[in-house]
Amino acid sequence: EIVLTQSPATLSLSPGERATLSCRASQSVSTSLAWYQQKPGQSPRLLIYDASSRTTGIPARFSGSGSGTDFTLTISSLEPEDFAIYYCQQRLDWPITFGQGTRLEIE
Amino acid sequence: EKQLLESGGGLVQPGESLRLSCVASGFTFSDCGVAWVRQAPGKGLEWVSTIGGSDSATSYADSVKGRFTISRDNSKNTLFLQMNSLRAEDTAIYYCAKVLNWRNYYDYWGRGTLVGVSS
């Protein structure tokens, strides 16, 4: 099983700041990685797939990068609605696995 | 608008069974893979099972293999999850999710249905 480890567990920032979230895979997943956003009481929302492709309707301030075992989700300038939990997910191999999440909170 | 609507959750005792349903609309259901993903209270996301579109190939997490069965009825745009021998650790919100273009990412999600297993 491919284990995804996200860091930090919690990130405290202010609106307007830049957020950098990390996801590390226990073995290479090439670029077969996605990022999701989940707000309290809501379903997850797909932001980024194939490591760097933005889903339709996702603002340009969200970007993904990386390949192999190290991936980054960057939010260039935080908006109030961006404070949420973010998960990475790999699809290269069964079982599909998710990271444990990074909570992005307002400082 | 693409939508997924789950139903069938509830509170059951350990060892009992439950069948979840998910009705899809707004897209050609038979062309798409669909999956169940669960989230225990206060915890992260856990993939449970996926079923292909036309070929209906299935995959399961080890934690549910042999106890859960995923199936679909394309004539009714409906996905199912038959859950047998339920355990306390199966307690979670169960989400139905549409697979993005056979890539095994999930681009549309339902609101979820809550399953509780407790004596």
Side-chain angles (χ1 to χ4, degrees):
Chain A
E1 170 174 322
I2 297 175
V3 177
L4 300 178
T5 303
Q6 293 186 240
S7 60
T10 303
L11 184 58
S12 300
L13 293 169
S14 299
E17 291 192 294
R18 181 184 187 91
T20 303
L21 287 67
S22 175
C23 177
R24 176 164 290 178
S26 60
Q27 62 191 76
S28 176
V29 298
S30 185
T31 56
S32 298
L33 189 110
W35 290 93
Y36 297 83
Q37 177 193 67
Q38 187 178 33
K39 297 179 181 180
Q42 296 186 15
S43 307
R45 178 171 71 147
L46 178 64
L47 302 174
I48 302 286
Y49 64 94
D50 288 345
S52 61
S53 296
R54 245 187 335 269
T55 306
T56 303
I58 300 303
R61 65 181 180 272
F62 291 91
S63 64
S65 63
S67 66
T69 61
D70 291 298
F71 300 86
T72 300
L73 174 69
T74 302
I75 311 172
S76 59
S77 179
L78 284 166
E79 298 287 341
E81 62 267 27
D82 298 336
F83 292 92
I85 299 175
Y86 292 83
Y87 296 95
C88 57
Q89 175 238 323
Q90 67 81 23
R91 69 159 195 99
L92 182 71
D93 198 12
W94 303 103
I96 304 296
T97 50
F98 290 87
Q100 83 280 13
T102 289
R103 180 183 301 274
L104 178 55
E105 63 177 28
I106 299 177
E107 186 169 41
Chain B
E1 181 187 4
K2 299 178 179 70
Q3 289 190 334
L4 298 162
L5 183 63
E6 304 93 338
S7 61
L11 180 62
V12 297
Q13 295 189 339
E16 294 187 337
S17 299
L18 213 52
R19 189 192 198 204
L20 305 184
S21 299
C22 171
V23 178
S25 60
F27 61 98
T28 305
F29 181 71
S30 59
D31 287 348
C32 299
V34 276
W36 291 98
V37 178
R38 68 185 181 183
Q39 187 168 35
K43 303 297 184 182
L45 302 170
E46 180 188 14
W47 170 76
V48 173
S49 182
T50 296
I51 186 167
S54 55
D55 66 355
S56 292
T58 59
S59 295
Y60 296 92
D62 284 347
S63 58
V64 307
K65 199 173 294 182
R67 300 187 299 122
F68 290 11
T69 302
I70 192 171
S71 62
R72 63 190 298 161
D73 183 342
N74 288 338
S75 69
K76 296 181 179 179
N77 289 351
T78 303
L79 173 70
F80 301 101
L81 186 67
Q82 178 66 44
M83 304 187 295
N84 299 332
S85 303
L86 282 161
R87 306 167 179 168
E89 55 264 35
D90 295 319
T91 294
I93 296 172
Y94 284 73
Y95 295 103
C96 166
K98 172 186 166 296
V99 172
L100 170 66
N101 296 341
W102 307 104
R103 281 183 161 97
N104 280 323
Y105 304 121
Y106 310 115
D107 59 346
Y108 287 90
W109 297 63
R111 292 189 172 188
T113 187
L114 180 60
V115 172
V117 185
S118 174
S119 54

